[in-house]
Amino acid sequence: MRNARAAHPTRRGILAAGGAIGLGAALAACGDDDAKSGGSGDGAGTGKSGPWSFEDDRGTTVKLDAVPKNIVAFTGVAAALWDYGVQVKGVFGPTTTKDGKPDVQAGDLDVSKVTVLGNEWGKLNVEKYASLAPEVLVTTTFDTAGTLWSVPEESKDKVAKLAPSVAISVFDRQLTQPLQRMWELAVSLGADMKAKKVTDAKAAFEKAAARLRAAAKAKPEIRVLAGSASADLFYVSGTNLSVDLEYFKSLGVNFVEPSEEAKKATGGWFESLSWENVDKYPADIIIMDDRASTIQPADITEGTWKQLPAVKAGQVIARSPEPILSYAKCTPLLDNLAEAIENAKKVG
């Protein structure tokens, strides 16, 4: 992994912030003309077929003669669709760990039932992709240009010729928006959204949101810092642009914000600190990037990290900067942060 540069942050820095650099004004998500769900047709969840269309967050409408069965998706998207009963054929992105277990971004996805086209960010074997006879590719986008997340720049044109794409935006909006869009996509693909498992998950999410709001209101003095670790740098994320942090902030969570001047160099996403300066921003709770591409708290050996009040107090929890966009997977993010705030001591 490369480190972030001041003028043009690399993917190392992008991942540290939990997103990608914004390239302009926010892209408005549109619903499909056929229905409020944003799509039409019967789908994989029902085994039925029929004309299908879906308008994504780039304003691009994909139309097919039948509901797609051969779906290829970024791993996190595949995991979200799996939670709604929609199975994809192939995935690209972090899928399995070195021991063959599902990566954190794979959620409950049965990794034995999908063809892995690339097991890390930015890797997608085009020949293998073509062999699946893909009907649609689904991923997220972290910028206003609609850049397809994890589709390699060098092969994006070849990928585009093989199948149309659908992009769900996770740029500069609150978590509830892409959650709803993923729900709408699943509906269009035939998922049974009235299933008890699905309705219970949505109800649990709403309950967890209320809990986090109450915790933040009860302890407004507790400061939360969103961090990410690499070998040379510690990254402090700002709350703007990232779907999870924007939503948590809207619920009242008191976040530590990097200086505006520092964030300018990264398009507003984050500030990078040397380990010697990791104590620049006092915090009572630290939420740390849980992706495999980052160093996890238990593996950080820097003495300056170990001396941070929040670390010494055991007030460090995981954060998922690329949340799996299903209610079942986002509920624990809310509950874990709520619990941390409820139990936190003022230490920063």
Side-chain angles (χ1 to χ4, degrees):
M1 288 291 197
R2 298 175 298 237
N3 293 327
R5 296 174 186 171
H8 302 286
T10 64
R11 180 179 167 266
R12 166 63 262 166
I14 289 171
L15 287 185
I21 301 171
L23 301 178
L27 179 67
C30 301
D32 188 83
D33 292 336
D34 295 324
K36 291 181 180 180
S37 68
S40 64
D42 300 313
T46 62
K48 298 179 181 179
S49 61
W52 181 83
S53 69
F54 188 84
E55 184 173 358
D56 73 0
D57 290 344
R58 301 169 298 178
T60 299
T61 299
V62 176
K63 296 183 178 181
L64 300 174
D65 293 336
V67 177
K69 304 297 182 185
N70 291 355
I71 304 168
V72 171
F74 178 69
T75 301
V77 171
L81 291 175
W82 177 274
D83 284 350
Y84 293 134
V86 178
Q87 186 171 331
V88 308
K89 193 168 185 179
V91 297
F92 57 99
T95 307
T96 59
T97 57
K98 292 180 180 179
D99 58 6
K101 295 180 180 179
D103 183 90
V104 65
Q105 290 187 259
D108 292 330
L109 179 69
D110 187 340
V111 296
S112 70
K113 292 185 177 182
V114 295
T115 298
V116 181
L117 305 174
N119 196 30
E120 59 182 285
W121 187 92
K123 299 293 183 183
L124 195 163
N125 185 306
V126 179
E127 290 73 22
K128 209 171 181 180
Y129 177 58
S131 72
L132 296 180
E135 295 172 272
V136 66
L137 178 148
V138 189
T139 186
T140 52
T141 182
F142 281 83
D143 59 39
T144 58
T147 304
L148 298 177
W149 188 241
S150 198
V151 173
E153 177 68 22
E154 65 273 13
S155 58
K156 65 179 183 180
D157 293 338
K158 292 181 180 179
V159 169
K161 290 178 181 178
L162 293 169
S165 60
V166 166
I168 301 298
S169 180
V170 288
F171 173 70
D172 195 19
R173 59 201 61 202
Q174 294 181 19
L175 179 60
T176 47
Q177 291 176 269
L179 269 173
Q180 178 62 26
R181 293 295 284 147
M182 191 64 72
W183 176 286
E184 292 163 1
L185 177 60
V187 168
S188 79
L189 293 170
D192 180 6
M193 308 311 268
K194 293 183 180 180
K196 188 175 187 300
K197 175 183 177 181
V198 175
T199 56
D200 284 354
K202 191 169 185 180
F205 177 87
E206 293 167 354
K207 182 178 180 180
R211 179 186 179 184
L212 180 55
R213 187 189 298 276
K217 184 177 181 180
K219 289 189 172 182
E221 74 280 4
I222 297 299
R223 293 169 295 185
V224 179
L225 183 148
S228 184
S230 72
D232 300 318
L233 295 171
F234 181 79
Y235 304 88
V236 179
S237 294
T239 56
N240 292 334
L241 308 182
S242 296
V243 291
D244 60 330
L245 302 185
E246 284 203 15
Y247 183 53
F248 299 159
K249 184 178 180 180
S250 77
L251 295 176
V253 176
N254 179 12
F255 278 100
V256 172
E257 297 283 356
S259 69
E260 291 304 315
E261 182 179 358
K263 288 192 296 182
K264 283 182 181 178
T266 65
W269 285 96
F270 63 93
E271 178 179 356
S272 56
L273 301 172
S274 66
W275 284 104
E276 290 74 17
N277 295 316
V278 73
D279 61 351
K280 179 177 180 179
Y281 298 107
D284 304 296
I285 295 173
I286 301 175
I287 56 175
M288 289 291 289
D289 190 335
D290 67 356
R291 290 168 295 182
S293 57
T294 66
I295 300 176
Q296 296 307 298
D299 299 319
I300 298 175
T301 59
E302 299 290 340
T304 48
W305 162 261
K306 295 179 179 180
Q307 292 304 311
L308 292 178
V311 176
K312 293 173 71 174
Q315 296 179 174
V316 178
I317 65 170
R319 173 201 172 202
S320 298
E322 288 182 67
I324 294 172
L325 297 171
S326 72
Y327 289 102
K329 292 300 178 294
C330 288
T331 296
L333 308 182
L334 296 166
D335 275 330
N336 292 343
L337 182 53
E339 181 178 11
I341 293 173
E342 289 164 355
N343 296 329
K345 297 178 180 179
K346 184 69 179 172
V347 297

